[in-house]
């Protein structure tokens, strides 16, 4: 019997998409053991750190973004998961600005929730982007325009698409089996094709998409007959001129935006084998054969790479380890990452000009996410040990009704999310 590693990866991706529907925080201790490598100490260069006392976050919320002025916004749900709240907090943990999205029952009797939601800033306005969903079924996209106080200004409906974004003037999305990128006005008019793959390259695929200002960032994978023949590219579209450019990199994965920049990141390894297939004898453990395949057919990188487009050029930022996550660029050009050791220790790293300036380590349970700008790192954590329900397996063949029933059956876990800040100052 033969099993395809590519097929196994596809199943993993499908499950990851399913998990995006379930609000859940994972403890740092739950992160696979690949993160247990000791981190080298940085040479101290005069970075000053000062950590604040934590505050409790309402609705067990977690950080979702940081505004240009340094305001941190959180996302949380009520105990019955009927409403999703987006809000900011004062220094005592009291909600200031807020906006909520409520579940509703449509004319078919379906209980409509949301998935793939995110909050972003475009100029003086914020845009809440999410897909309406019933169970696993994604419906059309909703985009809410909010003012600086999170008051609703306008509401738009856009096509159903997993990869979709806006700059406040255009909606850009990926359709046609991840082979075509379109744009429309905010009202859905003036639909245009921004880029489509050549029909002579059926193995090529587009994925992920971010819009920052006048530029669209995306990922392109040029398929080949064997893994070693595949190539990854950072793709950029100029919305003003329509020009499309590509830059090949060693491994281009999901992208996001940070402080007006488009950022892609590289995986920790790439497949350099001659075949996608491995032979697994009947009844044998597949994972053991995948491990042997990796030893022979995968190249593992010793450092990490992030690819950053600032509106003018695409640069490569290297990190000491390929296991550093969620790189962000602050308003002074400092690069901040973090790495977990699997034992509750989270080390933040600050780089400048590809040089590691300094590190700062915290020890918390259930580390979730961080944002940084204006000399402040803000992070969230649950403060609890791993729970049995943190890692679950969902059947991708589950019906919408079964999925809704599953959501209702999840035990309510008692914990309180916390948020703390670290002030940092880089001495020039």
């Amino acid at each position: 019997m033969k099993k395809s590693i590519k097929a196994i990866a596809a199943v993993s991706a499908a499950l990851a998409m399913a998990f995006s529907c379930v609000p859940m925080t994972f403890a740092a201790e739950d992160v696979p053991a690949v993160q247990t490598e000791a981190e080298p100490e940085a040479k101290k260069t005069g970075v000053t750190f000062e950590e604040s006392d934590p505050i409790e976050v309402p609705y067990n919320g977690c950080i979702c973004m940081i505004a240009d002025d340094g305001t941190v916004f959180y996302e949380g749900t009520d105990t019955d998961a009927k409403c999703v709240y987006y809000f900011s907090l004062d220094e005592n943990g009291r909600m200031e600005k807020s906006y909520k999205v409520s579940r509703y029952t449509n004319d078919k009797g379906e209980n409509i929730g949301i998935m793939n939601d995110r909050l972003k800033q475009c100029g003086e306005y914020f845009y809440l982007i999410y897909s309406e969903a019933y169970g696993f079924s994604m419906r059309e996209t909703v985009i809410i325009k909010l003012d600086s106080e999170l008051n609703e200004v306008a509401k738009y409906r856009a096509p159903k698409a997993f990869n979709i974004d806006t700059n406040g003037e255009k909606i850009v999305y990926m359709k046609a089996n991840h082979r075509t990128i379109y744009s429309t006005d905010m009202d859905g008019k003036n639909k245009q094709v921004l880029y489509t793959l050549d029909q002579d390259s059926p193995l090529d695929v587009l994925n992920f998409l971010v819009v920052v200002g006048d530029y669209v960032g995306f990922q392109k994978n040029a398929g080949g007959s064997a893994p070693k023949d595949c190539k990854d590219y950072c793709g950029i579209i100029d919305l003003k001129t329509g020009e499309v450019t590509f830059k090949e990199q060693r491994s281009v994965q999901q992208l996001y935006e940070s402080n007006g920049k488009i950022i892609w990141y590289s995986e920790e390894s790439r497949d350099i084998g001659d075949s996608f297939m491995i032979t697994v004898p009947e009844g044998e453990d597949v994972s053991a054969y995948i491990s042997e395949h990796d030893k022979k057919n995968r190249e593992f990188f010793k450092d990490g790479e992030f690819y950053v487009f600032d509106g003018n050029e695409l640069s490569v930022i290297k990190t000491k380890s390929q296991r550093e996550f969620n790189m962000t660029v602050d308003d002074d050009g400092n690069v901040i990452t973090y790495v977990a050791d699997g034992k509750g220790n989270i080390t933040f790293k600050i780089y400048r000009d590809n040089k590691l300036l300094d590190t700062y380590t915290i020890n918390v349970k259930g580390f979730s996410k961080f944002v940084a700008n204006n000399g402040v790192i803000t992070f969230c954590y649950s403060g609890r040990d791993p729970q049995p329900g943190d890692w679950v397996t969902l059947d991708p063949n589950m019906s919408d009704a079964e999925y809704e029933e599953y959501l209702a059956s999840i035990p309510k876990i008692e914990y309180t999310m916390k948020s703390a800040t670290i002030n940092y100052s880089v001495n020039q």
Side-chain angles (χ1 to χ4, degrees), residues 6 20 24 73 90 135 141 143 156 256 265 276 318 322 344 418-420:
K6 202 171 195 180
S20 69
M24 193 174 293
F73 289 95
D90 65 17
T141 302
I143 301 177
Y156 310 97
Y256 56 97
Y265 62 85
F276 285 107
K318 287 185 174 291
Q322 76 275 25
K418 297 180 178 64
S419 177

Side-chain angles (χ1 to χ4, degrees), residues 171-415:
I171 297 172
V172 181
Y173 59 98
M174 197 176 291
K175 295 283 283 187
N177 197 26
H178 289 232
R179 295 186 62 84
T180 305
I181 298 175
Y182 299 92
S183 72
T184 69
D185 294 338
M186 298 301 293
D187 58 7
K189 298 179 180 179
N190 296 321
K191 181 178 178 180
Q192 296 181 354
V193 173
L194 296 180
Y195 177 74
T196 188
L197 289 169
D198 193 326
Q199 295 302 313
D200 294 333
S201 304
L203 297 180
D204 291 1
V205 66
L206 308 176
N207 214 338
F208 315 119
L209 185 149
V210 164
V211 185
V212 177
D214 294 322
Y215 296 94
V216 179
F218 61 100
Q219 183 248 26
K220 175 182 175 180
N221 176 263
S225 58
K228 65 181 182 180
D229 299 322
C230 297
K231 297 180 179 180
D232 283 353
Y233 299 87
C234 297
I236 301 168
I237 302 174
D238 187 326
L239 289 173
K240 287 187 174 180
T241 66
E243 180 182 7
V244 183
T245 57
F246 293 97
K247 179 67 174 178
E248 182 182 353
Q249 303 292 355
R250 71 182 191 188
S251 170
V252 181
Q253 297 304 309
Q254 192 165 349
L255 63 154
Y256 56 97
E257 62 179 287
S258 173
N259 204 30
K261 298 174 177 61
I262 301 174
I263 301 175
W264 300 256
Y265 62 85
S266 168
E267 282 192 316
E268 66 178 23
S269 64
R270 63 182 169 192
D271 204 326
I272 55 174
D274 293 318
S275 173
F276 285 107
M277 305 298 293
I278 57 174
T279 300
V280 180
E282 189 71 40
E284 292 290 328
D285 182 7
V286 177
S287 61
Y289 286 83
I290 293 176
S291 177
E292 287 302 313
H293 177 277
D294 285 350
K295 292 177 183 178
K296 299 176 182 178
N297 297 283
R298 292 195 72 80
E299 175 188 6
F300 290 85
F301 308 123
K302 294 182 180 180
D303 55 12
E305 284 189 352
F306 291 85
Y307 315 112
V308 182
F309 180 69
D310 62 5
N312 293 307
E313 61 181 0
L314 183 71
S315 58
V316 179
I317 293 179
K318 287 185 174 291
T319 59
K320 293 292 184 180
S321 166
Q322 76 275 25
R323 297 163 188 171
E324 295 176 42
F325 301 102
N326 288 5
M327 186 199 86
T328 188
V329 182
D330 70 11
D331 55 336
D332 286 329
N334 299 304
V335 171
I336 301 100
T337 69
Y338 85 88
V339 65
D341 69 354
K343 301 176 183 179
N345 294 309
I346 306 297
T347 299
F348 294 101
K349 300 186 175 186
I350 299 181
Y351 293 84
R352 173 70 71 84
D353 299 326
N354 277 330
K355 294 180 180 179
L356 179 58
L357 301 183
D358 215 333
T359 65
Y360 186 83
T361 300
I362 58 173
N363 184 283
V364 296
K365 295 180 179 180
F367 179 85
S368 183
K369 188 178 179 181
F370 87 97
V371 294
N373 205 15
N374 299 321
V376 178
I377 298 170
T378 304
F379 62 94
C380 278
Y381 63 100
S382 68
R384 67 184 181 95
D385 290 317
Q387 302 295 314
D390 283 350
W391 297 101
V392 294
T393 300
L394 299 179
D395 181 359
N397 297 315
M398 187 183 294
S399 70
D400 295 337
E402 289 172 333
Y403 178 73
E404 289 294 318
E405 183 178 347
Y406 163 77
L407 284 181
S409 70
I410 296 177
K412 301 297 185 296
I413 302 173
E414 296 297 330
Y415 66 95

